[in-house]
Amino acid sequence: MERCGQKYMTKVVKLFGPLSRNYYVRAFLHLVLSVPAGFLLATILGTACLAIASGIYLLAATRGEQWTPIESKPKERPQVGGTIKQPPSNPPPRPPAEARKKPSEEEDEAAAGVSSGPQENPIPVTDEVV
């Protein structure tokens, strides 16, 4: 994933070609830049950081690592027809997934034993006409 501001440095590194992509060259460059700064006490911490960076680049180069630019790829739009596996069989509004499940054979046998007569309302309904 590209980091903030990385695309500008990528252009610079690409400009210098294989000279800037090679980690051996980077390790040597960091080491050479750290030597003059080591003679002043005020810059000794920067010298140490450059020397450590040189060692890290040298270790990465010996392990065969290589810098490759991160380039943005054009986003592919999914095909509308290709993503639909099977069109819906029920028209909207559809019941929830639990209600759409087909009853199993055991439930069919249990339902066959119960009479399918009218249901009784537990609350009596009275019709009052005034």
Side-chain angles (χ1 to χ4, degrees), residues 46-68:
T47 301
C49 291
L50 281 171
I52 291 170
S54 173
I56 291 171
Y57 273 124
L58 188 62
L59 181 66
T62 57
R63 292 187 178 180
E65 293 184 27
Q66 185 178 358
W67 180 85
T68 54

Side-chain angles (χ1 to χ4, degrees), residues 45-123:
L45 187 60
T47 301
C49 291
L50 281 171
I52 291 170
S54 173
I56 291 171
Y57 273 124
L58 188 62
L59 181 66
T62 57
R63 292 187 178 180
E65 293 184 27
Q66 185 178 358
W67 180 85
T68 54
I70 298 175
E71 297 174 345
S72 60
K73 299 174 185 173
K75 295 182 180 179
E76 294 183 16
R77 299 173 74 189
Q79 297 291 334
V80 176
T83 58
I84 299 173
K85 302 292 181 202
Q86 181 179 2
S89 57
N90 293 346
R94 295 180 189 90
E98 297 83 31
R100 281 187 271 153
K101 291 183 180 176
K102 295 181 180 178
S104 64
E105 293 177 9
E106 296 172 0
E107 292 175 355
D108 288 340
E109 292 172 2
V114 177
S115 64
S116 59
Q119 296 181 354
E120 291 185 26
N121 192 355
I123 302 172

Side-chain angles (χ1 to χ4, degrees), residues 15-37:
L15 181 70
F16 289 108
L19 187 66
S20 62
R21 293 182 190 172
N22 191 345
Y23 282 174
Y24 286 111
V25 173
R26 287 186 184 190
F28 179 73
L29 180 66
H30 278 79
L31 189 63
V32 167
L33 289 174
S34 70
V35 171

Side-chain angles (χ1 to χ4, degrees), residues 2-11:
E2 188 176 52
R3 291 171 284 184
C4 180
Q6 188 173 359
K7 61 183 175 183
Y8 305 113
M9 286 305 294
T10 301
K11 291 178 183 176

